[in-house]
Amino acid sequence: MKGILGSLFSTGSIREPEGWLRKFLLLLIIGITIFQFYVILFSAMDPFLHNSIFITFMLAITFLVFSFNGTKKGNKVPVYDIAISFALIGVGVFMITYSDRFLTRWPLADPLTMMEIIVGSITLFIVFEVTRRTLGFGMLVIVSVLVLYAFFGHLIPGTFGHEQYNLMQFVDQMVYTVNGVYGSIASVAATYVFFFVLFGNLFNASGGGNFFYALSKALTGRVAGGPAKVAVISSGLYGSISGSPTADVATTGSFTIPSMKKVGYSPVYAGAIEATAATGGSILPPVMGSAAFLMAEMTGISYSTIAMAALIPGLLYYLAIFCQVHFQAKKLKMAGYDDETVPTVMGVMKEMGQFMIPILVLVITLEQGLTPVMGAILASVATILVSYFKKETRLTPKKLFQTMIETTTRISPLVAVCAAAGVVAGIIQVTGLGGKFSSLIHAASGGSIFMTMLVTMLVCIIFGMGMPTPAAYVLTAVLAAPIMIEVGIDLMQAHLFILYYACLSAITPPVAVAAYAAAAIADANPMKIGFLACRLGLVAFIIPFMFVYDPSLLLIGSTTSIVIAIITATIGVITLAAGLEGWFGVMLKKWERLILIASGILLIYPNILSSVIGLIGVGLVLAPKIPAFVKDFKGQKIQLEQAAE
């Protein structure tokens, strides 16, 4: 019994099928890739049909790639997984064959046939199983509880009760309408996620990740705490493209964490810096993460508008980490890299500067108003072209093929997230749970904007402990965003608030995926890494409250208010970092640190009165220490000038 439960609670491991199954898998991967490009570039296929084909075939790939649980090692694919994979292909063919009926029928009013009920039930069961394999038991528990609520909620008296649903009605809503598995959330996986993950993998495979690392090393490698600063910059740059904290930690952390440990950083501190920097990539344009694409789909706000609004908070996040790393390095007298191992900026740009072209292509296409998907496609094409500038970076047909395999493997959990989140959102909608939960939040907060935000933050972080970022965002957005809007918070601010805390769940203990990924490399306690990462990322926990009260930090408002907000917030972030680390050219006393922390928070809040009070506090503590800070800065300036030569 214990072994069975252990199998159910563990996620699957990735395998590489062999023999005829490998050829079949490659055929599926090539087919789904060609299909994706065809739909986006040449077809006007109905989104529901597009989603159903993409989801079913991607899930078919997932069952060949992911084992039943973590103990099932090796590359042999059992018969039951092969059968499920073929069953999913059959479901896809079924959806194509009867697409005219599904696109024209009236849900619920036109009863499903027995075959449609069976196919729909099998689809839902498979979605639940793939959720467990790729995302773990936490997400499955939440989905299962909601399914039970859908079937038995009519037995609950009072507000949280709802009308009775039978199997046919449930399957109809969850499979054959846009409310469930193949709905708007699935569209995010079939469009944004697929093409941006493909771009990120192509960019990394061609050497773009190495370019970010080399450029970061050239910029800050010589200065105090150089490896830590390299980690912050390279993880931020790479994370803004990959949009995945765990992928970022695994890629850049394998270089930066050992380097930090080598110059004297503790394993916990090295892991925390990498985890915090990697997490910030999900809130830093131009790509951000899949949750940002979900926000665009759920709110109707264009992705480019969301990215522009997220720019200043994202930069402030990294400024805070960088300043804390700098003050900590000066306080502990941390060294940089050996000069012989550090390249110059000009040297890096001459050797690898071509990798700036795909980034510029993406930014320009978004700025010109093209769709994000088209931007990702054009950036992918640019990546392939610039890879041929040098022999060692070329994306040969073999490399391209391997990149497609890696893309589909990496997308599989995200497809599972979107499919499961579609069921979650559908149940919440058809049962009216969203409105009931909103009433509960309203009652708990008493209608106060601050208390509503506080409750929403806690809900989002709690959901993030058992679910990946996209699912945590969707669930919180469906349940809490309506009440945030009802108490007077703007649509953009409400959803960005939720998005930020969903992203921050990657470093929030006890389940912090970025911290766990960093812990494996640093050989340190993931809980300690998570708590330290939260301190390093403190600004990100504060800023959402600030931009709700005043959207100037989201570049909304008059030019004057925006400029003032950016200046005071920048001073506030530096001040807050100095207070947290206890250093500003010289060691700071405890009372000075407390004043600086309070002053920093007041300055981040975009308000004239709070900014004036904050500036008085900063002047009181830091004015006498400016000479020491300037002397320290001049030393850093000389090293930076050497790096640029």
Side-chain angles (χ1 to χ4, degrees):
M1 178 63 71
K2 185 178 179 181
I4 295 174
L5 289 176
S7 297
L8 290 175
F9 275 85
S10 66
T11 55
S13 58
I14 296 176
R15 60 194 172 201
E16 296 181 9
E18 300 171 340
W20 71 271
L21 267 180
R22 176 175 174 78
K23 295 178 182 178
F24 178 68
L25 175 63
L26 297 180
L27 185 64
L28 282 178
I29 290 171
I30 293 172
I32 199 67
T33 303
I34 294 173
F35 169 74
Q36 284 292 94
F37 277 95
Y38 168 75
V39 171
I40 296 300
L41 297 177
F42 307 109
S43 173
M45 184 178 290
D46 183 89
F48 177 83
L49 181 58
H50 176 203
N51 296 345
S52 63
I53 296 171
F54 176 78
I55 295 293
T56 51
F57 278 80
M58 278 300 304
L59 293 182
I61 291 171
T62 303
F63 274 92
L64 296 178
V65 173
F66 278 83
S67 65
F68 181 78
N69 58 58
T71 63
K72 300 286 185 181
K73 304 295 184 181
N75 295 324
K76 185 178 180 181
V77 182
V79 174
Y80 55 80
D81 278 349
I82 297 174
I84 294 173
S85 183
F86 275 91
L88 281 161
I89 294 172
V91 171
V93 172
F94 178 81
M95 297 300 292
I96 296 170
T97 305
Y98 296 98
S99 59
D100 288 342
R101 166 170 163 76
F102 300 136
L103 295 176
T104 57
R105 64 181 286 272
W106 288 89
L108 299 181
D110 186 0
L112 298 176
T113 65
M114 182 55 66
M115 176 60 73
E116 290 165 347
I117 294 174
I118 292 172
V119 170
S121 300
I122 291 173
T123 301
L124 289 172
F125 177 79
I126 291 174
V127 166
F128 299 156
E129 167 57 14
V130 81
T131 299
R132 185 197 63 79
R133 287 195 188 196
T134 59
L135 305 175
F137 202 71
M139 180 69 175
L140 180 61
V141 167
I142 291 172
V143 175
S144 300
V145 168
L146 286 170
V147 169
L148 291 173
Y149 176 70
F151 280 108
F152 301 105
H154 65 282
L155 301 175
I156 300 175
T159 304
F160 281 88
H162 61 77
E163 63 179 270
Q164 186 173 359
Y165 286 93
N166 58 37
L167 179 62
M168 187 196 76
Q169 292 171 320
F170 182 78
V171 170
D172 194 350
Q173 289 287 343
M174 296 301 111
V175 179
Y176 298 107
T177 72
V178 294
N179 291 331
V181 175
Y182 306 133
S184 59
I185 296 176
S187 292
V188 174
T191 53
Y192 299 106
V193 170
F194 181 88
F195 288 101
F196 274 97
V197 170
L198 178 61
F199 165 55
N201 281 355
L202 288 171
F203 189 80
N204 190 49
S206 65
N210 294 333
F211 164 65
F212 284 152
Y213 179 74
L215 181 61
S216 305
K217 194 172 183 179
L219 286 169
T220 60
R222 289 178 173 84
V223 299
K229 292 172 182 175
V230 170
V232 174
I233 297 175
S234 61
S235 296
L237 291 172
Y238 183 77
S240 69
I241 300 301
S242 73
S244 169
T246 50
D248 194 352
V249 170
T251 303
T252 61
S254 59
F255 299 104
T256 60
I257 291 175
S259 298
M260 284 186 275
K261 290 171 67 176
K262 189 175 181 180
V263 299
Y265 283 100
S266 70
V268 171
Y269 200 86
I273 290 172
E274 179 58 42
T276 312
T279 298
S282 297
I283 56 175
L284 183 67
V287 176
M288 302 175 70
S290 52
F293 301 133
L294 286 165
M295 176 178 165
E297 189 69 30
M298 294 184 69
T299 61
I301 301 171
S302 70
Y303 175 76
S304 57
T305 302
I306 294 171
M308 184 59 68
L311 179 60
I312 298 303
L315 292 175
L316 289 173
Y317 177 88
Y318 279 98
L319 176 63
I321 304 171
F322 190 88
C323 288
Q324 287 186 75
V325 164
H326 172 72
F327 293 140
Q328 175 83 345
K330 298 301 293 186
K331 183 171 67 175
L332 300 179
K333 295 181 172 58
M334 289 290 185
Y337 286 102
D338 186 331
D339 280 355
E340 295 179 0
T341 68
V342 180
T344 63
V345 174
M346 288 303 297
V348 172
M349 293 306 294
K350 286 179 181 179
E351 183 70 20
M352 310 171 75
Q354 69 270 19
F355 289 110
M356 287 298 297
I357 295 175
I359 308 300
L360 292 174
V361 168
L362 178 60
V363 172
I364 291 170
T365 52
L366 292 175
E367 192 273 333
Q368 290 296 315
L370 273 71
T371 64
V373 172
M374 186 56 67
I377 291 173
L378 292 175
S380 298
V381 172
T383 301
I384 295 171
L385 292 176
V386 302
S387 75
Y388 277 82
F389 285 14
K390 293 183 179 295
K391 184 178 179 180
E392 60 271 18
T393 64
R394 290 174 186 169
L395 287 171
T396 61
K398 184 178 180 180
K399 276 189 177 180
L400 281 172
F401 204 60
Q402 185 61 37
T403 302
M404 286 194 301
I405 295 174
E406 291 173 359
T407 298
T408 51
T409 302
R410 185 176 158 196
I411 287 173
S412 293
L414 295 174
V415 172
V417 166
C418 291
V423 174
V424 167
I427 292 173
I428 290 172
Q429 181 176 340
V430 299
T431 61
L433 182 61
K436 298 163 187 173
F437 194 84
S438 295
S439 300
L440 191 63
I441 293 177
H442 189 273
S445 64
S448 161
I449 290 180
F450 175 78
M451 291 304 299
T452 299
M453 288 192 291
L454 188 62
V455 173
T456 301
M457 178 194 76
L458 294 174
V459 168
C460 198
I461 290 175
I462 290 170
F463 284 152
M465 291 178 186
M467 296 186 291
T469 298
Y473 164 74
V474 169
L475 190 52
T476 310
V478 171
L479 293 174
I483 189 60
M484 293 185 74
I485 295 169
E486 186 179 318
V487 297
I489 301 172
D490 181 75
L491 177 69
M492 165 79 87
Q493 294 159 274
H495 280 265
L496 262 183
F497 182 93
I498 295 169
L499 173 66
Y500 270 62
Y501 285 110
C503 292
L504 290 173
S505 65
I507 56 171
T508 308
V511 183
V513 291
Y516 276 88
I521 301 172
D523 192 23
N525 187 311
M527 292 293 287
K528 291 181 179 179
I529 288 177
F531 283 114
L532 182 54
C534 286
R535 199 199 79 179
L536 290 170
L538 180 63
V539 165
F541 287 90
I542 296 172
I543 284 180
F545 283 86
M546 303 309 181
F547 67 57
V548 165
Y549 283 116
D550 189 329
S552 299
L553 290 176
L554 302 181
L555 303 181
I556 299 172
S558 67
T559 303
T560 302
S561 65
I562 291 172
V563 170
I564 292 173
I566 292 173
I567 293 173
T568 56
T570 300
I571 297 172
V573 163
I574 297 170
T575 302
L576 185 62
L580 289 170
E581 296 301 334
W583 178 270
F584 193 81
V586 294
M587 289 289 290
L588 299 174
K589 298 180 177 64
K590 286 185 178 180
W591 67 268
E592 292 175 322
R593 295 178 65 178
L594 290 173
I595 291 176
L596 288 182
I597 291 171
S599 298
I601 295 172
L602 288 171
L603 283 163
I604 294 171
Y605 178 49
N607 176 274
I608 297 296
L609 179 60
S610 65
S611 297
V612 170
I613 297 172
L615 286 171
I616 293 172
V618 171
L620 178 67
V621 175
L622 297 186
K625 298 171 177 59
I626 289 178
F629 180 78
V630 171
K631 182 180 178 181
D632 176 60
F633 178 77
K634 285 181 178 179
Q636 300 289 310
K637 185 180 178 183
I638 293 171
Q639 291 173 312
L640 291 173
E641 288 172 350
Q642 291 173 344
E645 293 176 355

